[in-house]
Amino acid sequence: MMLRTFTLLLGCIWLSLGMTSMAEESQPELWIESNYPQAPWENITLWCRSPSRVSSKFLLLKDNTQMTWIRPPYKTFQVSFFIGALTESNAGLYRCCYWKEKGWSKPSRILELEAPGQLPKPIFWIQAETPPLPGCNVNILCHGWLQDLVFMLFKEGYTEPVDYQVPTGTMAIFSIDNLAPENEGVYICRTHIQMLPTLWSEPSNPLKLVVAGLYPKPTLTAHPGPILAPGESLSLRCQGPIYGMTFALMRLEDLKKSFYHKKPIKNEAYFYFRALKIQDTGHYLCLYYDGSYRGSLFSDILKVWVTDTFPKTWLLVQPSPVVQMGQNVSLRCQGLMDGVGLALYKKGEERPLQFLDATSNTGNKSFFLKNVTYKDAGIYSCQYFLTWKTSIKMETYNTVELMVVDKPPKPSLSAWPSSVFKVGKTITFQCRVSHPVLEFSLEWEERTTFQKFSVDGGDFIITDIEGQGTGTYSCSYYIETHTNTWSQHSEPLQLVGPAGFLTWNSIPNEAFRMSLSIQIVSLLLLVLWIRWKCRRLRFREAWLLGTAQGVAMLFILMAVLCCGLCSGTLAEEIEIIMPTPKPELWAETNFPLAPWKNLTLWCRSPSSSTKEFVLLKDGTGWIATRPASEQVRAAFPLGALTHSHTGSYHCHSWEEMAVSEPSEALELVGTDILPKPVISASLPIRGQELQIRCKGWLEGLGFALYKKGEQEPVQQLGAVGREAFFTIQRMGDKEEGNYSCRTHTEMQPFKWSEPSEPLELVIKEVYPKPFFKTWASPVVTPGARVTFTCSTSHEHMSFILYKDDNEIASSDPAWGTPGSSAAHFLVISVAVGDGGNYSCRYYDFSIWSEPSDPVELIVTEYYPKPTLLAQPGPVVLPGKNVTLRCQGTFPGMRFALLQEGTHAPLQFQSASGTSVDFLLHTVGAEDSGNYSCIYYETTMSNRGSYRSVPLMIWVTDTFPRPWLSAEPSSVVTMGQNVTLWCQGPVHGVGYILHKEGEATSMQLWGSTSNEGAFPITNISDASIGRYSCCYHPDWISPIKIQPSNTLELIVTGLLPKPSLLVQPGPMVAPGENVTLQCQGDLPDSTFVLLKEGTQQPLEQQRPSGYRADFWMPVVRDQDSGVYSCVYYLDSAPLVASNHSNPLEIWVTDKPPKPSLSAWPSTVFKLGKDITLQCRGPLPGVEFVLEHDGEEAPQQFSEDGDFVINNVEGKGIGNYSCSYRLQAYPDIWSEPSDALELVGAAGPVAQECTVGNIVRSTLIVVVVVALGIVLAVEWKKWPRLRTRGSETDGRDQTIVLEECNQEGEPETTTNSPSSASQRISAELTVPI
């Protein structure tokens, strides 16, 4: 028999080499059961169990041939194969498989049944619980196939077993703790029956344990090369420094099956692969060991590629594919293969332009083109370049077109959603170009002065306030390398207003508005006609005129309101009135095998503003006050179930002013039966996967899915929480039907629930699913505005918005956009409970669409923020991987990774613990940026945490340079404290502070901010010197580290102070030149110029004499400030003098205005004077005081004090002052603010007088106006006449005469004849 050996290598295989173990496909488990424990061969049954899923078929193999297969009546985890008594005919090698979705699984381990009267031969292997480092624990597993056996572990050279175990199952685990070199050797395992210690099994195959790391590492090389095609031969040479050793080669992807031993040829061994296969691809390494199994260190990893086609390469151009003549261009070739040469090709040329050899290529290297010309323009590509012969085909590769221009090409300009303004809407211009751009510019042809700039992708938002947005627009851009060269303008694009187009839906709207306008005009004309008739006719009833006018005005008001209502109804966005979040109802028990013995119902709300809960049972309920815990839930204990408890339960949550929707109904159907589950599913789509949800209300239940017409369950699932999801892989006609589900207790005998209500699955004709998105990020804070857009290519559709599969809003196509193919659902202010999974559908008449892809709306700022860390660090080389670990607070949450500037989260992950790892694979320059993460719960409205602190990821081969500064200044006096700050953009990195001339450094590890503080207390001579700092990452990184700037720490107060003068003066106009002269007392000195408010010296000089002249050309406003200077001797560097006297410099066209105040007050008192005090910021000036109403200045003063008296009231009035420099008598400052001096009556009296005059005038105006109105109305008012009846004594009649009658009769009689004439005149008028 061939000796099979397994070897465990004691060394950091996975950890030091950065490799992760390859996940192996799970094997089924095969074991023996027998009802004859002392003679198991008398009656044998083989059991086969799948590791993680139910299966419909199981297969038993004997000696690699099919023996039998079993198809159980329903899907299950395990089946049995009856063998019976063991004979010569059924002895042999057994394995089993189970049926998966796409074929048979991997076979189980081999069970060897020998002749009758012998136990099966055990199998033996090693499992490392941790990376096999010195001192780690190693498990040796021995599988004996039968239960209740005694397992013995033997080591070569020892007569007695080194360990034994009596496990309850079929496998023993022997642990070797704190693995050391003395544990090396060859091990075997044997078994025997407990009652028959003399009946032993055959020994297992030997297991060889090798200890590595005691000799120097060898080298591993490949011939002809590490990249070959399938079928070609490969020779791997492992060479060490010691002769006579045994060499071993392994492949990290499968250590157990790819471990090869080889006797040496002198100090090396060759491992041959005659015909390579694809599965031979992997990471290889080797070691050697002596006769005592003492091994060497591992060689470096050698990556071997076996492929028939090279992986694709891609080419990137930096800084841009559009460059100007004379610029330098970098062509970066990226690929998956390391250690392979690269060649740069240009279309139209046969030979490569440039080469990169294998030693310089790490999968991401650059070719350089310097001083490009028009000849360098063209299409470029890169390919792998090998120095050995192989039949591998070259894969297709991308090409890059390099354009060499004097001016960049023009971009494209488009408008979204259209080029037509709608009422109250904006239009977004999108200026696009195919290469990176630094800044875009939008220009408006109708306005030459209009120009907008954008660095955010070329988007410009245009509004149409009062019709001012219409016109013709164009855009241009410039790239980073040519900031002064703008591109050509895009093609012009015209925006038109709402009146510039007609659609079928807008025609009835406009007609309706026009009809309302015509009604308003008609009613106004009616009012005017009535007024005109008032002057021409007489009415018997005066109230008729008022009634007609009132009715007309009422119609006008209704028409105006109707227009307003029409304008409001035509809005396109649909505002969502979010319901109070639905609570969750479930049950808990402390009797898992008989839950009905003690049952408690729990109700939990996702809204933190919930006050109390109500549990309803068939219309009645109990009230529970919200508990103080943050979980916002309430308990309703039911105790042992009785017949009075049967019924349907649901709960509500109460808030300040609202009540929630009811929870899902929980139905209790009996006293000794589980609650009735609820079944649901999404819309079945032909050919697609469908998930059926079964909610069982209790934890720890098993689930079964039934289909009508079949006795056995279609699918079964174990305890997976309170609900289970059954999957139909591909929906077809045979999968249609009525489904139901049941739950059962986990332990046998099962206690089952009643079946759920049936769920009918029918495949119907459907429209394609719509496109569904949010306008902004789906991760929002409370109070944010969220708009969902549901769109399709079909027109005239109605849309429905769903939250967690419940309909919450719908759209009416009658008021949508003409030919409506989209709907916008608006949430004005998002609350914490509004998070969840949103989707939409559309329909017309009886045909519905598929549901859209869901959008997870996450409302943050509910849970504490997580922490985000980068592994190995936040600075990573291009082409490498980086892991971002998000550490939360609570287990069982879902995590999302966000990047600044992206619309949606980059990755999602669910975790059973409190943290997840997000992998950024093969990062490039575009992956640089600020990252953050959140976590949220998926069961309660996606309530999320605060965002983590942003983490900046740098993808570069060199750390960014930090900056070293001193606070409060780098020039300090002896004995003071100073803090040196090492500031940089990289977070979570240590810093090192270096001092020139010292070997040791100050370190600050793992800074949590982006700057490191190094405090220096009580400055002394030892603190003087030149400092610099640099990053010090606490992970191993090949990235280059740059030092910061050099900071000189100067200590003052040890030499006499210098003097500081300014020429031509302390006040100069912008654009002039200034010279600051610092005069010291000692020769051979270095002078330092300082400015108040700056941490670093402005300038240093070492003149030949005693004075340094600091020249400041073309000064500006920001050069104003307070200056000083110090000096130090060359013989004692950085030991400086005291500061000079401060000197303030003003850079301005006009000196700043002074201030003017009055003492003791601004009110003259009888016989008292007032002193006006004018104060300015500059010395050596002359002040002048001016009085309103006087042409010449009143007084001059050098100290700014002016005495004012009030003789004959001449001192009252407004005063202001200004000043001029005595050195510049022609330059005057701005005047001060005016100051008013008032007389003895005081300002209160004056204000009262003025107020009385104003009030009296207003009263007179009002009275006069009122009189005029009354006079006019009296003239227009109808005269009342009382007429008596001579004949019948009728009641008096009020007659309305014409309002302004010209030529009124001179006399009026009350005779009957005249009265009759008047009456007859009235009767002839038609009313």
Short mmCIF file of all heavy atoms in Angstrom, two decimals, residues 332-355:
data_model
loop_
_atom_site.label_atom_id
_atom_site.label_comp_id
_atom_site.label_asym_id
_atom_site.label_seq_id
_atom_site.Cartn_x
_atom_site.Cartn_y
_atom_site.Cartn_z
N ARG A 332 0.52 54.75 -17.84
CA ARG A 332 0.60 53.73 -16.79
C ARG A 332 -0.10 52.47 -17.25
O ARG A 332 -1.29 52.48 -17.57
CB ARG A 332 -0.02 54.24 -15.49
CG ARG A 332 -0.12 53.20 -14.40
CD ARG A 332 -0.41 53.81 -13.05
NE ARG A 332 0.73 54.55 -12.56
CZ ARG A 332 0.79 55.10 -11.35
NH1 ARG A 332 -0.22 54.96 -10.52
NH2 ARG A 332 1.85 55.78 -10.96
N CYS A 333 0.65 51.38 -17.29
CA CYS A 333 0.13 50.08 -17.71
C CYS A 333 -0.18 49.25 -16.47
O CYS A 333 0.70 49.02 -15.64
CB CYS A 333 1.14 49.36 -18.60
SG CYS A 333 0.50 47.84 -19.34
N GLN A 334 -1.42 48.83 -16.34
CA GLN A 334 -1.85 48.06 -15.17
C GLN A 334 -2.30 46.69 -15.60
O GLN A 334 -2.96 46.52 -16.63
CB GLN A 334 -3.00 48.79 -14.45
CG GLN A 334 -2.61 50.14 -13.88
CD GLN A 334 -3.76 50.83 -13.20
OE1 GLN A 334 -4.90 50.61 -13.55
NE2 GLN A 334 -3.46 51.67 -12.23
N GLY A 335 -1.95 45.69 -14.79
CA GLY A 335 -2.34 44.32 -15.07
C GLY A 335 -2.31 43.48 -13.82
O GLY A 335 -1.89 43.92 -12.75
N LEU A 336 -2.77 42.25 -13.95
CA LEU A 336 -2.87 41.36 -12.80
C LEU A 336 -1.59 40.58 -12.54
O LEU A 336 -1.42 40.00 -11.47
CB LEU A 336 -4.03 40.37 -12.99
CG LEU A 336 -5.42 41.00 -13.12
CD1 LEU A 336 -6.45 39.92 -13.38
CD2 LEU A 336 -5.77 41.77 -11.87
N MET A 337 -0.69 40.50 -13.50
CA MET A 337 0.50 39.67 -13.37
C MET A 337 1.68 40.51 -12.90
O MET A 337 1.99 41.56 -13.49
CB MET A 337 0.84 39.01 -14.71
CG MET A 337 -0.11 37.89 -15.09
SD MET A 337 0.49 36.99 -16.52
CE MET A 337 -0.69 35.67 -16.60
N ASP A 338 2.35 40.04 -11.84
CA ASP A 338 3.56 40.66 -11.36
C ASP A 338 4.77 39.91 -11.91
O ASP A 338 4.69 38.74 -12.26
CB ASP A 338 3.61 40.65 -9.83
CG ASP A 338 2.49 41.48 -9.23
OD1 ASP A 338 1.94 42.31 -9.97
OD2 ASP A 338 2.19 41.30 -8.05
N GLY A 339 5.90 40.60 -11.96
CA GLY A 339 7.13 39.95 -12.38
C GLY A 339 7.19 39.60 -13.85
O GLY A 339 7.92 38.67 -14.24
N VAL A 340 6.45 40.30 -14.68
CA VAL A 340 6.42 40.05 -16.12
C VAL A 340 6.75 41.36 -16.83
O VAL A 340 6.30 42.43 -16.40
CB VAL A 340 5.05 39.52 -16.58
CG1 VAL A 340 5.09 39.14 -18.06
CG2 VAL A 340 4.64 38.34 -15.74
N GLY A 341 7.54 41.27 -17.90
CA GLY A 341 7.88 42.46 -18.65
C GLY A 341 6.68 43.05 -19.37
O GLY A 341 5.71 42.35 -19.66
N LEU A 342 6.74 44.34 -19.66
CA LEU A 342 5.68 45.05 -20.37
C LEU A 342 6.28 45.78 -21.56
O LEU A 342 7.43 46.22 -21.52
CB LEU A 342 4.97 46.04 -19.45
CG LEU A 342 4.17 45.47 -18.28
CD1 LEU A 342 3.73 46.58 -17.36
CD2 LEU A 342 2.96 44.71 -18.79
N ALA A 343 5.47 45.90 -22.62
CA ALA A 343 5.90 46.61 -23.82
C ALA A 343 4.82 47.58 -24.24
O ALA A 343 3.62 47.28 -24.16
CB ALA A 343 6.18 45.62 -24.95
N LEU A 344 5.24 48.77 -24.69
CA LEU A 344 4.31 49.82 -25.14
C LEU A 344 4.30 49.84 -26.66
O LEU A 344 5.36 49.93 -27.30
CB LEU A 344 4.74 51.18 -24.58
CG LEU A 344 3.87 52.37 -24.98
CD1 LEU A 344 2.49 52.26 -24.36
CD2 LEU A 344 4.55 53.69 -24.58
N TYR A 345 3.09 49.78 -27.22
CA TYR A 345 2.92 49.76 -28.67
C TYR A 345 2.11 50.99 -29.10
O TYR A 345 1.28 51.50 -28.34
CB TYR A 345 2.18 48.50 -29.13
CG TYR A 345 2.97 47.23 -28.96
CD1 TYR A 345 2.95 46.54 -27.75
CD2 TYR A 345 3.73 46.70 -30.01
CE1 TYR A 345 3.67 45.36 -27.59
CE2 TYR A 345 4.45 45.53 -29.85
CZ TYR A 345 4.42 44.86 -28.64
OH TYR A 345 5.13 43.70 -28.48
N LYS A 346 2.38 51.41 -30.32
CA LYS A 346 1.61 52.48 -30.94
C LYS A 346 1.06 51.97 -32.26
O LYS A 346 1.77 51.32 -33.03
CB LYS A 346 2.49 53.72 -31.17
CG LYS A 346 1.73 54.90 -31.77
CD LYS A 346 2.66 56.09 -31.99
CE LYS A 346 1.90 57.26 -32.62
NZ LYS A 346 2.79 58.40 -32.91
N LYS A 347 -0.20 52.26 -32.52
CA LYS A 347 -0.86 51.78 -33.72
C LYS A 347 -0.15 52.33 -34.96
O LYS A 347 0.13 53.52 -35.05
CB LYS A 347 -2.33 52.20 -33.71
CG LYS A 347 -3.15 51.60 -34.83
CD LYS A 347 -4.62 51.97 -34.70
CE LYS A 347 -5.45 51.33 -35.81
NZ LYS A 347 -6.89 51.69 -35.68
N GLY A 348 0.14 51.40 -35.89
CA GLY A 348 0.84 51.78 -37.11
C GLY A 348 2.33 51.50 -37.08
O GLY A 348 2.99 51.63 -38.10
N GLU A 349 2.86 51.12 -35.91
CA GLU A 349 4.28 50.79 -35.80
C GLU A 349 4.42 49.33 -35.35
O GLU A 349 3.73 48.88 -34.43
CB GLU A 349 4.97 51.73 -34.80
CG GLU A 349 4.91 53.19 -35.22
CD GLU A 349 5.75 54.07 -34.30
OE1 GLU A 349 6.54 53.50 -33.52
OE2 GLU A 349 5.62 55.31 -34.38
N GLU A 350 5.34 48.62 -36.00
CA GLU A 350 5.51 47.19 -35.73
C GLU A 350 6.24 46.93 -34.43
O GLU A 350 5.88 46.05 -33.66
CB GLU A 350 6.23 46.53 -36.90
CG GLU A 350 5.48 46.59 -38.23
CD GLU A 350 6.24 45.90 -39.34
OE1 GLU A 350 7.35 45.41 -39.06
OE2 GLU A 350 5.71 45.84 -40.45
N ARG A 351 7.29 47.65 -34.16
CA ARG A 351 8.12 47.40 -32.99
C ARG A 351 7.58 48.15 -31.77
O ARG A 351 7.02 49.23 -31.91
CB ARG A 351 9.57 47.82 -33.26
CG ARG A 351 10.24 46.97 -34.32
CD ARG A 351 11.67 47.45 -34.54
NE ARG A 351 12.39 46.59 -35.45
CZ ARG A 351 13.06 45.50 -35.07
NH1 ARG A 351 13.10 45.18 -33.78
NH2 ARG A 351 13.69 44.76 -35.95
N PRO A 352 7.79 47.58 -30.59
CA PRO A 352 7.39 48.32 -29.38
C PRO A 352 8.20 49.59 -29.22
O PRO A 352 9.38 49.66 -29.60
CB PRO A 352 7.66 47.32 -28.25
CG PRO A 352 7.73 45.98 -28.93
CD PRO A 352 8.27 46.22 -30.30
N LEU A 353 7.57 50.61 -28.66
CA LEU A 353 8.25 51.88 -28.43
C LEU A 353 9.16 51.82 -27.20
O LEU A 353 10.27 52.33 -27.21
CB LEU A 353 7.23 53.00 -28.25
CG LEU A 353 6.30 53.30 -29.43
CD1 LEU A 353 5.39 54.46 -29.09
CD2 LEU A 353 7.11 53.61 -30.68
N GLN A 354 8.67 51.19 -26.12
CA GLN A 354 9.42 51.13 -24.87
C GLN A 354 9.19 49.78 -24.20
O GLN A 354 8.20 49.10 -24.48
CB GLN A 354 9.00 52.26 -23.90
CG GLN A 354 9.27 53.65 -24.39
CD GLN A 354 8.87 54.70 -23.36
OE1 GLN A 354 8.89 54.45 -22.16
NE2 GLN A 354 8.51 55.89 -23.84
N PHE A 355 10.13 49.40 -23.32
CA PHE A 355 10.04 48.15 -22.57
C PHE A 355 10.17 48.45 -21.08
O PHE A 355 10.86 49.39 -20.66
CB PHE A 355 11.15 47.17 -22.97
CG PHE A 355 11.01 46.65 -24.37
CD1 PHE A 355 11.71 47.23 -25.42
CD2 PHE A 355 10.19 45.57 -24.64
CE1 PHE A 355 11.60 46.76 -26.70
CE2 PHE A 355 10.07 45.09 -25.93
CZ PHE A 355 10.77 45.68 -26.97
#
